[in-house]
DNA sequence: CTCGATCCCTGGACGC
DNA sequence: TGCGTCCAGGGATCGA
């Protein structure tokens, strides 16, 4: 699942592989994940990919002006979110297209930049000028660029659970389920703790381990659980270092206690019940939920 | 404001 | 082997 480290890996790879290349033609498959498919098809050809950046969990392909120079269009970019199963990779045109290839951008060196996404949980949009600026303003700060004071302020100014805050892209941009769980385990904070209730020391610790974990994951080119591959088709290696994510029932590497998985803020959350003590009232709530409520609600769904 | 529920989508796991 | 069913999960959206 592409989160900050995975997207950073792809952005770096694309920067090396396709920056400076001109897009000659765009071929679309299924388009329900594209904001405005016609704009993507018509606006991209003729533009050069100037730079590839990561913006939260988005890839930002900065583009040059088109053939007809429109002074008012301002900065232009292709925004790509990989969703759960999105892959973006340059391949030779002669290479057969993978199943679920929905966008193929023919480049001026004979390769194609292909977007493959079986589940189409991703998003793609061609944006220019004010529209682009407004889109980027919706997101919070980058966890690797923000300082501790900004982090602490954002964690405290809302009353949500820390897990929800870490996942909320308007609070911090780029953190997803894997790195939220891993960071909370390392900082010994229960995912259901209210952000505003954390002690200064805990926030400080969380800030430090979040950066540490994200940086290490970037070095290892991200986590590949089932689908993620970099631009060369190589999986990441950080999944080997996961301490809680996907380790339900296995033992905590710090204390040996069995790792648990519960739903917090609507997301499955992995944690060590001994190292990460639950806030008051949480035990009862989660107990009730996982039994009666969980079953009946599932049955009603058709 | 925060929460849960629902939907989007497909492949893989599982039960029979 | 081949069905059917459940589930994963980021994000948008809606109602409580």
């Amino acid at each position: 699942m592409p989160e900050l480290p995975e997207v950073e890996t792809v952005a770096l790879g694309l920067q090396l592989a396709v920056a400076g290349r001109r897009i000659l033609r765009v071929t679309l498959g299924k388009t329900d994940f594209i904001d405005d498919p016609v704009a993507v098809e018509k606006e991209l050809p003729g533009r050069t990919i100037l730079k590839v950046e990561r913006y939260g969990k988005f890839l930002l392909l900065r583009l040059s002006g088109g053939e007809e120079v429109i002074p008012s269009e301002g900065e232009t970019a292709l925004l790509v979110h990989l969703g759960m199963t999105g892959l973006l990779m340059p391949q030779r045109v002669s290479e057969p297209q993978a199943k679920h290839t929905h966008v193929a951008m023919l480049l001026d060196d004979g390769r194609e930049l292909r977007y493959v996404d079986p589940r189409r949980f991703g998003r793609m949009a061609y944006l220019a000028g004010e529209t682009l600026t407004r889109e980027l303003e919706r997101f919070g700060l980058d966890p690797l660029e923000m300082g501790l004071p900004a982090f602490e302020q954002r964690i405290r100014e809302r009353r949500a659970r820390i897990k929800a805050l870490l996942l909320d892209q308007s609070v911090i941009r780029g953190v997803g389920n894997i790195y939220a769980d891993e960071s909370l385990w390392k900082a010994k904070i229960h995912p259901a703790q209210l952000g505003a209730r954390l002690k200064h020391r805990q926030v400080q610790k969380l800030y430090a381990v979040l950066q540490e974990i994200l940086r290490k994951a970037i070095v290892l080119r991200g986590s590949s659980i089932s689908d993620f591959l970099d631009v060369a088709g190589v999986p990441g290696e950080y999944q080997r270092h996961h301490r809680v994510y996907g380790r339900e029932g296995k033992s905590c590497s710090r204390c040996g206690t069995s790792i648990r998985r519960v739903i917090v803020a609507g997301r499955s959350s992995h944690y060590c019940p001994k190292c990460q003590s639950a806030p008051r009232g949480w035990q009862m709530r989660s107990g009730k939920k996982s039994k009666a409520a969980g079953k009946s609600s599932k049955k009603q769904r058709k």
Side-chain angles (χ1 to χ4, degrees), chain A residues 13 15 30 41 60 68 86 89 114 126 129 139 163 167 203 223 226 229 241 246-247 259 262 277 281 287:
Chain A
Q15 172 64 24
K30 290 189 179 175
E41 204 170 19
L60 198 52
E68 303 158 40
M89 41 181 77
R114 294 168 175 172
Y126 166 79
F139 297 96
K163 177 70 182 268
L167 293 182
V203 177
S223 303
S226 54
L229 300 172
H241 298 264
R247 299 192 67 247
I259 298 299
V262 291
S277 58

Side-chain angles (χ1 to χ4, degrees), chain A residues 185 242-243 247 250-257 259 272 275:
Chain A
W185 175 82
H242 291 177
R243 307 292 196 119
R247 299 192 67 247
K250 296 190 175 153
S251 61
C252 170
S253 64
R254 236 178 350 224
C255 75
T257 305
I259 298 299
C272 169
C275 295

Side-chain angles (χ1 to χ4, degrees), chain A residues 2-12 52-62 77-82 123 127 132-143 145 154 169-175:
Chain A
E3 302 180 24
L4 189 152
E6 291 76 29
V7 181
E8 177 82 19
T9 299
V10 173
L12 282 169
V52 183
E53 300 168 21
R54 174 186 60 75
Y55 189 86
K57 293 181 199 171
F58 283 90
L59 288 159
L60 198 52
L61 280 70
R62 301 260 182 202
L78 182 69
L79 203 64
V80 181
H81 194 299
L82 301 173
R123 182 187 163 201
L127 300 171
L132 174 60
T133 311
R134 257 182 281 120
E135 182 64 32
L136 299 184
E137 279 171 355
R138 299 167 49 218
F139 297 96
L141 298 175
D142 190 291
E145 291 168 6
R154 286 178 172 262
Q169 301 300 297
S170 70
V171 175
I172 300 167
R173 62 177 198 252
V175 178

Side-chain angles (χ1 to χ4, degrees), chain A residues 25 27 32 34 94 127 173 235:
Chain A
R25 192 179 32 169
T27 311
D32 54 359
I34 305 177
S94 56
L127 300 171
R173 62 177 198 252

